[in-house]
């Protein structure tokens, strides 16, 4: 399970929402939400933003988890991942 998927599942269950209710709100298939919660599929930014409203969770938290999962998906277990991330962080701070 990915970080975003875990947060979505926790928030959905806390509010007693069914997968099909979340899927209907996003106008997607129930299987997509199920797979997103398990980290098998990725949601797009617009879907994540809509979920923040439905799940009463901050946009910042969900988008930061979404970005985290995207970054991990790219760098994975590369031996130089931490070095690359540190350099990227320094560049982003300078922008």
């Amino acid at each position: 399970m990915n970080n975003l998927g875990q947060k979505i599942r926790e928030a959905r269950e806390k509010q007693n929402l069914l997968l099909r209710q979340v899927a209907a709100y996003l106008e997607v298939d129930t299987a997509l939400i199920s797979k997103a919660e398990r980290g098998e599929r990725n949601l797009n930014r617009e879907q994540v933003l809509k979920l923040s409203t439905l799940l009463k969770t901050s946009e910042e938290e969900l988008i930061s988890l979404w970005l985290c999962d995207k970054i991990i998906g790219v760098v994975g277990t590369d031996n130089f991942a931490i070095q690359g991330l540190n350099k990227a962080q320094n560049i982003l701070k300078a922008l």
Side-chain angles (χ1 to χ4, degrees):
M1 183 179 302
N2 60 12
N3 297 299
L4 177 61
Q6 183 176 355
K7 180 64 180 178
I8 292 169
R9 177 174 284 162
E10 289 170 1
R12 178 181 62 78
E13 289 176 348
K14 183 178 180 182
Q15 294 185 41
N16 296 314
L17 292 171
L18 301 173
L19 283 171
R20 63 182 166 81
Q21 292 171 301
V22 175
Y25 182 80
L26 293 180
E27 298 176 2
V28 297
D29 190 87
T30 303
L32 174 66
I33 302 304
S34 178
K35 289 177 182 178
E37 286 186 355
R38 293 192 312 266
E40 297 171 6
R41 290 284 307 268
N42 295 318
L43 300 174
N44 63 41
R45 186 182 187 98
E46 180 182 311
Q47 291 166 330
V48 174
L49 290 172
K50 285 180 78 172
L51 272 178
S52 71
T53 302
L54 176 66
L55 301 175
K56 300 177 179 108
T57 306
S58 78
E59 286 182 4
E60 180 181 345
E61 181 177 14
L62 289 188
I63 291 296
S64 64
L65 288 171
W66 177 73
L67 287 169
C68 175
D69 290 341
K70 289 177 83 63
I71 292 166
I72 290 171
V74 171
V75 299
T77 58
D78 190 288
N79 292 334
F80 300 106
I82 298 299
Q83 288 174 280
L85 290 171
N86 286 335
K87 289 182 183 199
Q89 182 180 25
N90 291 332
I91 292 168
L92 287 171
K93 284 180 182 179
L95 294 178

